[in-house]
Amino acid sequence: MDASPDLAMFPPLEARQTGMLPVDELHTLYWEESGNPEGIPVVYVHGGPGGGSSPDKRQWFDPDAYRIILFDQRAAYRSTPLGDVRKNTTQLLVADMEVLRKMLGIDKWLVTGGSWGTTLSLAYGQAHPQACLGFVLRGVFLGTPYEIDFFLYGMRRFFPKAHFDFIKWLPEDERKDILSAYEKRLFGDDAEERMRAARMWFKYSEACSLLRHDPTLVEEAAKNDEVVYGTGRLDPFYFRNHMFLETNQLVANIGRIAHLPLMIVQGGHDVIAPPEAAYLVHQAWSGSVLHIVPDAGHSPSEPGIRRKVIEATEYFKRHEKFDAQALQASGPV
């Protein structure tokens, strides 16, 4: 099957099967499968943490060529319990992916993800390189203290109104420590205050995701209470814990997976996951391919981002690698 002429998306399709997978006595994960059961296995690793896998991500892959696996990480979207930070770490999410892969009887899969999904994809690959066919990563985020601080304070240089809206409802004496101020409300006893804080956090992230700001899209996205609550609670929890990673861990351990194919699709004006991280990975990973999309920010909904991701999955289905031919039409790096 071919995507639409501009590689916007493949046609909508329903999941062939879905399920809830218990991974311990507390957490149960939503998972689904669509596409060709005999096709190339591909797993989509969503962002957030806590964002969940929206059904439109099925349309990023040729359903005739790929066995498409989507799932929601611990406490995200349709997984239960929603927004629960107990027993929720990067290492446990990595282990969950292995449980899911083995449950589905998959030998190796192509690992794809965006934003926080790139962080988890790299951590997973470095722990289980034998389970990976390769990687397609969009908007690389390495979880470093610099990136976390930039999200909380640095993005105001590019989106001053969004940042002001993010902090204006906080008492002035709490605005110098935004993370603590939000944690106080996100993990307090007042359910309404928890939801309000989660929504403010989510809207800030969404407002800074698009190169061309669209308040209508932000408001529409913020109507999904499950995604808002999961993202709003898990984002700051993981920030506080440095994403459960050592500083520079993911770049330092790239040698474990550098023999595998990698395509990076990076918005040239991404402020949530600034391009520097993508370039660091590209430099450390010999043979990797980096596409800079010059007219895009962070959001996967931006046409240039989506087009390049689909180009990557289309190229992989034919060649099962990425090389100089896949680099055609890339922006400057």
Side-chain angles (χ1 to χ4, degrees):
M1 179 182 293
D2 293 325
S4 59
D6 62 353
L7 288 176
M9 272 192 175
F10 287 92
L13 73 159
E14 296 298 318
R16 191 174 61 257
Q17 57 176 332
T18 66
M20 299 296 291
L21 174 65
V23 288
D24 63 19
E25 69 280 3
L26 177 63
H27 290 280
T28 301
L29 308 187
Y30 170 86
W31 65 270
E32 64 172 58
E33 179 177 338
S34 56
N36 181 355
E38 303 301 323
I40 302 168
V42 59
V43 60
Y44 177 77
V45 185
H46 67 71
S53 295
S54 57
D56 68 296
K57 296 304 184 295
R58 303 170 195 151
Q59 297 173 249
W60 288 39
F61 310 98
D62 181 350
D64 291 339
Y66 284 101
R67 180 183 177 188
I68 306 163
I69 309 300
L70 273 57
F71 74 103
D72 296 337
Q73 298 154 28
R74 291 187 181 215
Y77 197 13
R78 293 152 295 192
S79 292
T80 60
L82 178 66
D84 200 314
V85 299
R86 294 173 296 170
K87 296 186 177 181
N88 204 322
T89 69
T90 300
Q91 292 72 28
L92 288 171
L93 301 189
V94 165
D96 292 346
M97 289 180 65
E98 268 299 270
V99 171
L100 177 62
R101 180 184 69 84
K102 292 176 180 177
M103 186 272 291
L104 293 171
I106 292 172
D107 180 37
K108 296 183 180 185
W109 49 14
L110 177 65
V111 181
T112 70
S115 193
W116 155 255
T118 71
T119 321
L120 183 55
S121 293
L122 289 168
Y124 171 79
Q126 290 171 8
H128 302 283
Q130 76 290 343
C132 303
L133 293 170
F135 301 84
V136 178
L137 304 180
R138 186 270 312 163
V140 173
F141 182 78
L142 296 174
T144 62
Y146 168 79
E147 291 167 298
I148 293 169
D149 185 76
F150 190 83
F151 179 93
L152 293 168
Y153 301 99
M155 293 198 309
R156 65 186 168 193
R157 284 177 262 166
F158 300 91
F159 292 94
K161 183 182 183 304
H163 192 272
F164 181 68
D165 291 343
F166 182 48
I167 64 170
K168 69 181 181 181
W169 69 294
L170 300 171
E172 283 199 41
D173 61 350
E174 295 186 47
R175 295 179 188 176
K176 291 183 179 180
D177 187 353
I178 297 171
L179 185 57
S180 293
Y182 265 86
E183 287 175 316
K184 178 180 176 182
R185 291 156 179 84
L186 287 163
F187 299 100
D189 294 330
D190 187 328
E192 289 187 8
E193 187 79 345
R194 290 199 301 270
M195 193 66 207
R196 182 189 183 195
R199 202 173 303 282
M200 297 301 290
W201 182 285
F202 182 85
K203 284 186 175 183
Y204 171 59
S205 180
E206 287 293 303
C208 298
S209 289
L210 292 162
L211 178 60
R212 296 176 178 85
H213 178 62
D214 187 336
T216 302
L217 285 179
V218 173
E219 292 298 325
E220 189 64 29
K223 291 178 181 179
N224 189 324
D225 287 349
E226 290 81 8
V227 172
V228 166
Y229 191 69
T231 303
R233 279 175 54 99
L234 291 176
D235 265 20
F237 173 71
Y238 271 70
F239 280 7
R240 174 62 69 191
N241 289 283
H242 308 290
M243 319 310 282
F244 298 95
L245 298 169
E246 299 295 327
T247 301
N248 204 41
Q249 174 182 329
L250 297 178
V251 172
N253 292 333
I254 275 177
R256 298 178 183 177
I257 48 177
H259 60 288
L260 296 167
L262 166 65
M263 170 71 78
I264 301 171
V265 177
Q266 178 69 42
H269 298 276
D270 189 336
V271 299
I272 290 181
E276 181 183 14
Y279 195 58
L280 285 173
V281 172
H282 175 54
Q283 284 184 308
W285 194 318
S286 177
S288 64
V289 178
L290 171 61
H291 275 288
I292 299 291
V293 182
D295 58 347
H298 184 70
S299 174
S301 68
E302 292 179 290
I305 294 286
R306 193 168 54 218
R307 186 179 303 112
K308 286 300 181 185
V309 171
I310 294 176
E311 280 183 10
T313 61
E314 286 290 274
Y315 193 88
F316 189 85
K317 85 179 184 186
R318 296 186 177 97
H319 305 282
E320 297 192 3
K321 64 178 182 179
F322 299 115
D323 53 26
Q325 295 298 315
L327 189 57
Q328 291 179 359
S330 174
V333 295

